[in-house]
Amino acid sequence: MSSIKPNTQTESGHNRLRKPDWLRISRKSSPEQSEVEGLLKELGLNTVCKEANCPNYSDCFSRKTATFMIMGTDCTRNCRFCNVRTAKPKELDAAEPGNVALAVKQLALQYVVITSVTRDDLPDGGAAHFAATIRAIKEFSPGTAIEVLIPDFGGSKEALGVVVQAKPDVISHNMETVAALYPQVRAQADYQGSLEMLAEIKRLDPDIKTKSGIMLGLGETKEEVLELFDELRKVNCELLTIGQYLAPSLNHHPVQAFIEPKVFEEYKQLAQQKSFGFVASAPLVRSSYNASEALS
């Protein structure tokens, strides 16, 4: 499969890639983007769009969409691919679920994605806070479809059940990468545990759609990616996103290759052949980008 391999080296010895043209984007502000940013600031809300430095945030904000990140901006884990800060988190904001719901209503969102930092410091990993946010949105905007992108809750099925009982339309949990790369990229997570989470959602409520996302360019092989597709289908995961990994800094896991757009299209076709109900696959695809298309 075609890709661009490392062509320069940093002083620390990390291979550094020159970003190809298909990953270069121009961010232009708009009145709609300013409106969204103003509302988020007014309500004291965070988005993964900004915290993870998503390349699509200007586009999403300009379309009056955002992926809300609840439970603060400090994560208890230190994954080597992620731009979210690792620090001791603050106490939960009891007003946050209602404020998220108010923002959803004011933006007249028909589809909303809620995610969070990982909160290993909380007994339930923040599951009750997720559930409260889902219920608040349902109360304020009963016609809005809700997707939650959840952490692993430390493997707690009880915590997962709390989220399932709140009945979001989609529950997403990202595998992020292939099994062989977990020790380098996602050492504090468990590959089989994440698959089991997706399986458990379906056991608890078969009507809830399940979704996962992976990144390419971390050093995976085609065979490993296809094996991951098969593992996801075995647990009846229906929705899939595939995007290019972009290292947030030289201290993060280095990009091993920039995957060409035609390869993303090939993976999309291969995933569709494995009967995923929806597949978004392109260099700039992120797990919540244009998420509403999965239910359209």
Side-chain angles (χ1 to χ4, degrees), residues 141-285:
S141 305
T144 298
I146 303 170
E147 175 181 326
V148 290
L149 172 56
I150 59 173
D152 62 20
F153 300 130
S156 170
K157 291 184 178 180
E158 182 179 358
L160 178 60
V162 170
V163 177
V164 171
Q165 288 169 14
K167 294 192 73 68
D169 298 275
V170 178
I171 297 182
S172 179
H173 178 66
N174 286 342
M175 298 299 298
E176 306 293 6
T177 188
V178 300
L181 292 178
Y182 264 53
Q184 301 101 292
V185 177
R186 205 174 177 226
Q188 292 170 285
D190 179 77
Y191 180 86
Q192 289 299 329
S194 286
L195 286 172
E196 177 57 27
M197 272 195 69
L198 291 164
E200 181 68 9
I201 294 165
K202 281 298 186 185
R203 284 194 286 266
L204 292 171
D205 190 337
D207 293 331
I208 293 177
K209 298 285 187 181
T210 51
K211 177 180 178 181
S212 193
I214 66 168
M215 302 172 288
L216 302 182
L218 287 155
E220 69 289 329
T221 67
K222 179 180 179 181
E223 291 72 23
E224 289 170 335
V225 172
L226 296 182
E227 181 180 356
L228 176 51
F229 288 175
D230 288 336
E231 297 275 14
L232 286 169
R233 289 303 298 136
K234 285 178 184 177
V235 296
N236 200 21
C237 181
E238 301 145 287
L239 315 176
L240 176 67
T241 62
I242 311 169
Q244 169 70 50
Y245 169 62
L246 298 173
S249 77
L250 296 179
N251 295 320
H252 289 77
H253 185 84
V255 176
Q256 298 301 306
F258 285 123
I259 311 302
E260 293 188 358
K262 64 182 181 181
V263 178
F264 279 94
E265 182 60 31
E266 180 181 346
Y267 273 126
K268 178 177 182 177
Q269 293 174 8
L270 290 169
Q272 289 173 332
Q273 290 170 13
K274 295 178 183 295
S275 301
F276 282 95
F278 172 83
V279 182
S281 179
L284 291 175
V285 162

Side-chain angles (χ1 to χ4, degrees), residues 97-115:
N99 285 337
V100 170
L102 182 58
V104 170
K105 184 175 183 179
Q106 290 192 22
L107 292 170
L109 299 183
Q110 297 302 304
Y111 193 101
V112 61
V113 182
I114 311 296
T115 190

Side-chain angles (χ1 to χ4, degrees), residues 110-151:
Q110 297 302 304
Y111 193 101
V112 61
V113 182
I114 311 296
T115 190
S116 77
V117 291
T118 298
R119 294 292 302 262
D120 292 320
D121 59 309
L122 300 173
D124 68 347
H129 202 73
F130 262 107
T133 305
I134 295 165
R135 290 193 296 268
I137 294 170
K138 286 177 176 287
E139 180 181 353
F140 278 64
S141 305
T144 298
I146 303 170
E147 175 181 326
V148 290
L149 172 56
I150 59 173

